[in-house]
Amino acid sequence: MSNQTELLSEFLDKKTISALEDFLEKDSAFEKSADVIAKAFGAEKGLSKTDADGIKKLVSSFKNNLTLLVQKTWVEKSDVALKEQLIYKLNSYLEKNNWKSDYPLFLQIINQAVLLMFGQDPSSDDFAEYTLRIDPEFGIFWWYISSLPEKAKWSEEKYRLAMMIGMYFLANY
């Protein structure tokens, strides 16, 4: 068992930890795993069966809450431009309603927001452990986000679910 998995097992059950592995590895029947992960973030029913109106509400809540989090985050003068750029990217996110093409932008948005919120580079080796120790809920979210591949060859549905799980957490953070 890796150090990170061992630390995660203090906060999550084995079912949720293995659900992420299944979600990332399976090309079909990944919806059940996605729902297990979403439930770990507080979603009552999971997200795989969310209808168009529910998706629209989730995207709107995600954009509104993340915009608020970013706007309320105090930053050094040198990071003001990054903050403005992030708000711009967030406003243009999913305008084309193409989950697959917006996946890289989603990961950029999350990484930049986390950098601004924590003032640390989220790609550093100890960041995941740091977030788990100071805020276990956010640490679990970061474990999920940092597990997502930068490039994937997934179906549109899998891209949608991968992003909706992250959006759900941030819409309710």
Side-chain angles (χ1 to χ4, degrees):
M1 188 182 317
S2 75
N3 245 3
Q4 187 176 8
T5 304
E6 193 173 305
L7 181 60
L8 274 168
S9 65
E10 293 178 29
F11 304 100
L12 287 174
D13 59 22
K14 289 179 185 178
K15 180 181 175 184
T16 305
I17 294 170
S18 66
L20 178 64
E21 293 169 10
D22 289 346
F23 178 76
L24 294 173
E25 293 173 9
K26 291 182 179 179
D27 290 330
S28 62
F30 50 81
E31 294 87 353
K32 184 177 179 181
S33 297
D35 287 343
V36 169
I37 299 164
K39 287 177 183 175
F41 292 154
E44 291 179 19
K45 300 178 190 174
L47 299 171
S48 66
K49 305 234 185 296
T50 306
D51 63 13
D53 285 341
I55 292 170
K56 192 174 183 176
K57 287 177 188 175
L58 177 59
V59 170
S60 177
S61 294
F62 163 73
K63 285 182 172 182
N64 291 339
N65 203 38
L66 191 55
T67 298
L68 184 63
L69 284 169
V70 169
Q71 287 175 338
K72 297 292 183 190
T73 299
W74 181 87
V75 296
E76 297 286 339
K77 207 172 206 173
S78 60
D79 288 331
V80 170
L82 179 62
K83 190 174 179 177
E84 291 171 357
Q85 180 186 36
L86 178 57
I87 297 296
Y88 175 78
K89 285 180 182 179
L90 191 54
N91 287 330
S92 65
Y93 174 65
L94 279 177
E95 282 184 347
K96 296 178 226 124
N97 288 324
N98 186 316
W99 297 93
K100 183 177 181 176
S101 68
D102 277 330
Y103 178 76
L105 179 59
F106 173 76
L107 293 177
Q108 283 179 8
I109 287 169
I110 300 301
N111 278 285
Q112 286 179 345
V114 170
L115 172 66
L116 288 174
M117 289 166 56
F118 284 85
Q120 286 190 6
D121 181 4
S123 65
S124 68
D125 291 338
D126 60 347
F127 186 76
E129 183 176 340
Y130 168 75
T131 58
L132 270 170
R133 296 209 185 274
I134 64 162
D135 184 348
E137 283 184 356
F138 194 87
I140 292 166
F141 165 74
W142 187 250
W143 159 74
Y144 170 74
I145 291 295
S146 64
S147 297
L148 295 175
E150 285 184 35
K151 294 181 181 181
K153 293 184 179 185
W154 291 340
S155 66
E156 186 79 5
E157 177 66 10
K158 192 166 183 176
Y159 281 111
R160 181 183 71 82
L161 282 173
M163 290 187 277
M164 283 178 62
I165 293 167
M167 285 191 288
Y168 182 85
F169 177 83
L170 288 172
N172 295 288
Y173 185 64

